[in-house]
Amino acid sequence: MPLSQGTVLGHFEVVSSLGAGGMGEVYRARDTRLGREVAIKLLLGEVAADPDRLARFEREARVLASLNHVNVATLYGFETAGDASFLVMELVEGETLAERIARGRVPPDEAISIFLRIADGLEAAHEKGIVHRDLKPANVKLSPDDGVKILDFGLAKALTPEGREDASRSDSLSVSPTLTLAATRRGVVLGTAAYMAPEQAKGGEVDRRADVWAFGACLFEALAGRRAFGGRDATEVMAAALTLEPAWAALPPVAPSLRRLLARCLTKDPKRRLRDIADARLDLEEARSEGSRSPAAAGTSARRGWLAPVLAGVAGLALGAFLFAALAGRGDAPGHAVTPRLRATQVPLLPGVPLYSEGRQIALSPDGEEIVFAAGALTDTRIYRRRLDRFEIDEIPGTEGGRYPFFSPDGRWLAFADDEHLKKVSMTGGGVQVLCEVQSAGSGAWTDDGWIYFTHNDTTLARVREEGGEREAFLDVGAVSLSPLPGGRVLVASFVLEGFDRSFAPILVATADGEAREVLRGHSASWLAVPGSPRGHVLLARGDELFAAPFDLDRLEALGEAKRVRGGLWTDSIGGWARYAISDTGTLVYVAGTDDARTVPTWIDRVTGEEEPLRGIEPAVRNTFDLSPDDTRLVYQASGGRDQIEVFDLRLATTTRLSRDGGLAPVWSHDGSEIFYETTQGPLSIVRARADRSREPVKIPIPPIQTTPAGRPVPPGRDWMDPTSVSPDGRYLVTLRFGPDVWLVPLEGGEPTPLLAGILASVSPDGRWIVYQSNEGGDYAIYVAPFPSVEWSRRVSAGRGDDPRWSPAGGELFYRDFDRIYRVAYSATDTEFLPEPAERVLDVDFHNSWGLSFDVSRDGRRFLVQKPSISATAEGTVVVVEGWRSEVERLVPAG
């Protein structure tokens, strides 16, 4: 029963009741021994009556008492008096954050100030391994002196039976709404539904990322004045958090960094969520800086949240309704002389959900009235649609896992790829139809003669009839983008790795009979017709700029040099993809901004998960790196501008440039004395350089080839060879060559020879085996074969596999599948390689890292990975430019 004023518990005298907390009754009390006022929390009777749980709670309380931070209410101790067990805590005066929000929205500058201090408190706790598990506005106190205190830190875990999150137990306390005086029975969940992370609501394992989610939910509520996920009861709220997006439309105009922080905190998949609350400070501090610079500008930037662009554009969209009608019905259409004026508008897409990370992922209907885009995490994408004359955004049913959308010529159908199929769906309603089976399909184009062309495994161009059927190989060339041309032809932006200069890759025109010819150079290409004429423009993306070249369809040739017609496109800094689309009516849409894919090499303990960024190394774009055999130096390919080879000394924290004229794909010799890499200058050759630069580098010339071992022709100037490993005996350099194929380069003299079909191969520490990645079974997987005989091969990955690495300690190899690292333990005889089943050991955000993106320490305990520094993903807003064809014709006349 409630305690009355004057009740004495040990040396604590009850002054008044403060209400019910998450663990029982809360009282203001006076510590008669120390002469101070405190808060005491009388524990639930079921906890106090259970000796095992009480003992465990006391042990946990001692840990929590070690947490001493200005933004965390201090736990003074754990006491017992008779049958009562209670916590003694710092008494914090003032209103709770929940009470503050009840008075109205918290202005952004005030919210930033509050949540910077909440982040500080969370960080201090997380560093001690303490997770709150029940962060909510009611557990944050705002003191009259502008102080901020987090209450009840870590006590959620302390109350959990036997200290573990086990949803299968009937007495689990880890998956229910917050305990109150009316809910003190077993079988309820600890945590508050509106602030529980999805994994917490489902009874899964909970770590500090659950606090990150709750932090985002609290910040959202403070800014919006309402919860991120609504519902009539706890069940509906939890269902909304598990299945729906936050109520982004409720947010007021806020700084983009604040908007980005919310999206990163409220990501449902914990692997994609902000991992460290310390990083939240960066966005909060940036938001404070942005607000102080120009509050008005926060609503008009090209990368803003949901409401700001909508409100800013409502008047323009309403007044410009006639312009949309002109674009759809007349505009530049044949037979009409009216030309719409050039006009750019910002249009929001889906807040908090980034575009898929590869390729264009955005399409514009032929009439220029509807945007379609693929968005979501790597393994959980959807395709969405938005008409330009409406605010609603709808998911297209049946497109789960869909990517690379593109329209039919009449705009009535949309084709797209998933992991195993090429599909189409009617834009006017109806189910999804499978066109053909295909793995690793990419960009596509639907031509006016009824063929659908698509890339396959980055190396082959295939096609299928628009009604579906068996796919057929069409052209032996990889492509980053496809675009239809009139007359059943297709523009192919070829995928090449020549010097990694994707800005000037070959642009081909392929005809229906399989003939192809190079016509221009750029990264991706689209066709913009001049109505009533065989002439028009081929649009080329080069970096973050669009170029246009006048082009004659009859002669299939460019009529002049490509000239710049637009800048400021979002471009992936690793893959080089630009996000834009063009309609038949001459409307352009593009994602604006930049992608910052800088990384910081970071040690991650495979057992504890503890992370340790390398000291003294600056964030940069690094595509491939290799750790020296003694773990003291790191060699990597530094990208941006011209690729160069650099060496970072982990002991001295110093960086040295090794290459002089550019370099690619560096690897160490087995003894760490030499580094091998491909030069980007002159004839194809491998550079052999002393790591200490004691001698001049030596170039190993590589004789050119006309065809690959499989008989595939090698276009002139397209041959390349990237080192991937050196055999322990120092006799062979293992390389990846155009094909893709694994080649051996004898280091003691002799001609390079092909070894097998695959990529990213490396030799085992004992020199007896070679591991490599191959798509011989469809999707990429990991295989092991004897070295150097390769008499047979054995698949060792459970599913897809990339970037295989041997453990230098032996007995293990590792590979990754997107953002998951797997381990394969093995033993071997003289003739057999005996792997155990693959085991998932770690989840890591690799961003878009290309090539060998992680390495293993000498003892096999730690991984060195490229952790993103600040990754500005493409999301939120696109720019729509109406009447753009007239602008292109003005700048680059087609003649």
Side-chain angles (χ1 to χ4, degrees):
M1 59 180 295
L3 302 179
S4 59
Q5 181 179 356
T7 300
V8 175
L9 298 173
H11 57 89
F12 298 96
E13 180 182 352
V14 174
V15 176
S16 62
S17 173
L18 293 176
M23 294 153 291
E25 302 154 40
V26 187
Y27 297 91
R28 179 192 294 264
R30 178 172 177 78
D31 183 342
T32 59
R33 183 176 297 168
L34 299 178
R36 64 181 176 183
E37 288 201 331
V38 296
I40 62 173
K41 296 197 173 188
L42 195 64
L43 297 185
L44 295 170
E46 65 168 15
V47 176
D50 185 334
D52 291 337
R53 292 177 68 187
L54 189 62
R56 183 189 171 279
F57 186 88
E58 184 176 3
R59 292 195 300 271
E60 192 72 29
R62 290 196 186 101
V63 175
L64 299 174
S66 68
L67 178 57
N68 184 13
H69 191 274
V70 67
N71 297 125
V72 177
T74 303
L75 175 63
Y76 292 141
F78 175 70
E79 303 283 343
T80 57
D83 294 333
S85 298
F86 56 95
L87 295 165
V88 183
M89 303 190 71
E90 176 185 2
L91 179 65
V92 183
E93 305 286 0
E95 65 178 350
T96 66
L97 179 58
E99 292 167 335
R100 169 62 187 87
I101 294 172
R103 293 194 283 108
R105 287 177 173 173
V106 181
D109 55 348
E110 181 182 346
I112 290 170
S113 177
I114 292 171
F115 280 85
L116 274 171
R117 284 174 279 184
I118 294 175
D120 282 341
L122 286 173
E123 181 183 2
H126 290 174
E127 287 178 349
K128 288 183 173 289
I130 302 171
V131 180
H132 195 294
R133 287 172 170 78
D134 195 22
L135 181 66
K136 56 186 176 181
N139 274 340
V140 176
K141 269 292 189 81
L142 309 178
S143 62
D145 60 355
D146 292 331
V148 175
K149 295 276 189 180
I150 307 173
L151 311 179
D152 286 356
F153 221 121
L155 298 177
K157 179 181 179 183
L159 279 180
T160 308
E162 300 181 15
R164 62 173 181 245
E165 310 283 348
D166 187 352
S168 67
R169 289 177 54 111
S170 61
D171 62 352
S172 175
L173 294 172
S174 63
V175 288
S176 71
T178 295
L179 292 174
T180 65
L181 290 177
T184 58
R185 66 193 183 281
R186 292 195 177 194
V188 296
V189 185
L190 191 63
T192 303
Y195 312 98
M196 280 197 294
E199 65 272 19
Q200 187 176 6
K202 291 186 289 188
E205 292 186 4
V206 173
D207 57 23
R208 61 189 182 186
R209 290 172 293 183
D211 282 354
V212 170
W213 171 281
F215 178 87
C218 293
L219 177 57
F220 184 103
E221 186 172 339
L223 293 167
R226 55 158 291 180
R227 289 174 176 172
F229 302 96
R232 291 170 295 182
D233 54 33
T235 301
E236 288 190 2
V237 172
M238 284 191 284
L242 288 169
T243 61
L244 302 179
E245 281 298 304
W248 297 113
L251 282 174
V254 295
S257 50
L258 202 57
R259 170 69 182 71
R260 182 170 64 244
L261 173 61
L262 288 170
R264 296 171 72 194
C265 289
L266 296 176
T267 297
K268 299 185 191 305
D269 185 352
K271 297 190 298 292
R272 311 298 300 175
R273 194 179 305 150
L274 187 72
R275 287 179 175 268
D276 196 330
I277 196 65
D279 293 335
R281 286 205 315 272
L282 299 174
D283 285 328
L284 289 170
E285 291 168 356
E286 183 179 347
R288 181 163 58 184
S289 175
E290 289 168 352
S292 65
R293 287 198 304 266
S294 176
T300 58
S301 172
R303 291 179 54 80
R304 297 307 180 206
W306 172 258
L307 271 185
V310 172
L311 296 176
V314 165
L317 287 172
L319 292 173
F322 74 94
L323 185 54
F324 284 107
L327 283 168
R330 299 189 302 152
D332 290 337
H336 294 278
V338 177
T339 299
R341 65 183 176 86
L342 184 69
R343 178 170 169 272
T345 307
Q346 295 174 23
V347 175
L349 295 181
L350 195 64
V353 182
L355 294 179
Y356 181 65
S357 62
E358 295 182 354
R360 289 188 183 177
Q361 304 304 338
I362 187 168
L364 186 62
S365 59
D367 61 9
E369 291 191 342
E370 187 165 22
I371 299 173
V372 169
F373 58 98
L378 283 172
T379 56
D380 184 22
T381 55
R382 302 287 193 278
I383 296 180
Y384 301 85
R385 62 191 299 181
R386 175 186 171 151
R387 288 186 59 84
L388 292 178
D389 57 356
R390 298 177 186 172
F391 292 139
E392 295 83 11
I393 296 176
D394 299 310
E395 179 183 331
I396 300 177
T399 62
E400 295 84 357
R403 302 181 289 271
Y404 301 103
F406 56 98
F407 280 95
S408 62
D410 60 9
R412 297 173 57 190
W413 293 87
L414 186 79
F416 64 94
D418 63 16
D419 287 338
E420 299 180 347
H421 303 92
L422 187 70
K423 300 178 178 180
K424 69 176 182 178
V425 60
S426 173
M427 295 300 289
T428 58
V432 171
Q433 300 179 31
V434 173
L435 294 168
C436 64
E437 291 187 1
V438 60
Q439 292 182 323
S440 301
S443 179
W446 195 323
T447 56
D448 54 16
D449 62 349
W451 283 103
I452 296 176
Y453 297 84
F454 55 93
T455 63
H456 174 42
N457 282 332
D458 294 332
T459 60
T460 304
L461 190 60
R463 67 179 182 179
V464 65
R465 292 298 302 174
E466 61 185 15
E467 60 269 17
E470 292 293 324
R471 78 171 189 265
E472 59 181 63
F474 175 67
L475 201 62
D476 189 19
V477 61
V480 292
S481 77
L482 304 177
S483 181
L485 285 174
R489 293 165 291 192
V490 62
L491 278 170
V492 181
S494 178
F495 178 82
V496 296
L497 297 177
E498 178 187 349
F500 279 75
D501 189 356
R502 298 174 178 87
S503 297
F504 294 92
I507 304 294
L508 314 175
V509 172
T511 59
D513 58 5
E515 295 294 322
R517 58 186 289 190
E518 182 177 325
V519 293
L520 288 161
R521 291 232 156 185
H523 186 263
S524 57
S526 297
W527 171 249
L528 180 61
V530 172
S533 168
R535 293 184 176 181
H537 296 88
V538 173
L539 304 178
L540 312 169
R542 293 176 179 171
D544 64 351
E545 297 179 319
L546 271 181
F547 289 73
F551 196 82
D552 189 302
L553 278 179
D554 291 339
R555 295 156 54 185
L556 291 183
E557 64 180 33
L559 303 176
E561 294 294 323
K563 296 182 180 179
R564 180 188 182 278
V565 290
R566 197 77 181 179
L569 277 68
W570 183 95
T571 305
D572 178 79
S573 55
I574 293 179
W577 299 287
R579 310 289 174 81
Y580 76 96
I582 188 78
S583 73
D584 292 346
T585 60
T587 296
L588 168 73
V589 298
Y590 66 92
V591 180
T594 59
D595 171 47
D596 187 346
R598 294 175 297 167
T599 61
V600 174
T602 301
W603 285 114
I604 302 181
D605 190 293
R606 59 185 272 197
V607 177
T608 66
E610 293 181 359
E611 299 184 4
E612 180 187 352
L614 294 189
R615 178 180 57 88
I617 190 168
E618 294 296 323
V621 179
R622 300 177 178 90
N623 282 342
T624 294
F625 65 30
D626 197 34
L627 189 64
S628 65
D630 62 0
D631 288 358
T632 64
R633 292 164 294 173
L634 183 69
V635 64
Y636 54 84
Q637 176 184 318
S639 300
R642 175 179 294 172
D643 293 285
Q644 298 286 0
I645 305 301
E646 295 180 350
V647 178
F648 178 76
D649 190 308
L650 281 66
R651 301 161 300 181
L652 303 177
T654 57
T655 301
T656 303
R657 173 164 291 179
L658 189 67
S659 59
R660 296 178 177 177
D661 299 313
L664 308 171
V667 294
W668 289 96
S669 63
H670 187 66
D671 62 3
S673 64
E674 295 181 304
I675 295 171
F676 297 83
Y677 62 90
E678 180 189 353
T679 181
T680 60
Q681 303 298 311
L684 179 61
S685 60
I686 301 295
V687 176
R688 183 175 190 169
R690 293 288 300 180
D692 58 8
R693 299 193 297 175
S694 60
R695 291 199 300 265
E696 285 293 311
V698 175
K699 284 189 176 182
I700 304 173
I702 305 298
I705 56 175
Q706 307 303 315
T707 60
T708 69
R712 179 182 177 186
V714 179
R718 295 274 303 282
D719 194 10
W720 48 266
M721 179 178 278
D722 293 344
T724 59
S725 176
V726 181
S727 62
D729 59 12
R731 296 177 58 195
Y732 298 105
L733 176 67
V734 180
T735 66
L736 167 62
R737 195 169 195 179
F738 182 92
D741 296 295
V742 176
W743 286 63
L744 292 183
V745 178
L747 296 178
E748 298 174 353
E751 294 290 316
T753 56
L755 184 67
L756 54 87
I759 62 175
L760 302 180
S762 65
V763 183
S764 62
D766 61 7
R768 297 169 53 199
W769 312 100
I770 187 167
V771 64
Y772 63 99
Q773 180 179 332
S774 173
N775 61 355
E776 62 186 68
D779 206 355
Y780 275 112
I782 306 302
Y783 296 82
V784 170
F787 181 81
S789 62
V790 192
E791 298 166 351
W792 48 263
S793 65
R794 180 169 185 172
R795 178 170 175 165
V796 297
S797 61
R800 179 187 172 90
D802 302 281
D803 302 357
R805 287 282 196 177
W806 297 99
S807 169
E812 296 176 308
L813 65 85
F814 302 92
Y815 66 90
R816 73 180 178 102
D817 178 6
F818 291 110
D819 287 352
R820 300 177 291 270
I821 295 180
Y822 287 81
R823 165 186 179 266
V824 175
Y826 68 87
S827 58
T829 67
D830 291 340
T831 58
E832 289 186 288
F833 184 85
L834 305 172
E836 296 180 8
E839 172 190 5
R840 183 172 170 179
V841 294
L842 193 66
D843 293 344
V844 178
D845 182 2
F846 281 101
H847 190 55
N848 290 334
S849 299
W850 185 93
L852 296 171
S853 52
F854 75 100
D855 210 339
V856 187
S857 64
R858 182 172 51 179
D859 60 7
R861 275 191 56 90
R862 298 192 297 172
F863 299 117
L864 188 65
V865 304
Q866 302 189 71
K867 291 281 290 184
S869 171
I870 303 172
S871 178
T873 55
E875 62 176 50
T877 303
V878 297
V879 177
V880 180
V881 186
E882 304 158 78
W884 192 59
R885 176 159 43 213
S886 59
E887 176 71 359
V888 174
E889 180 64 23
R890 181 183 69 83
L891 295 172
V892 189

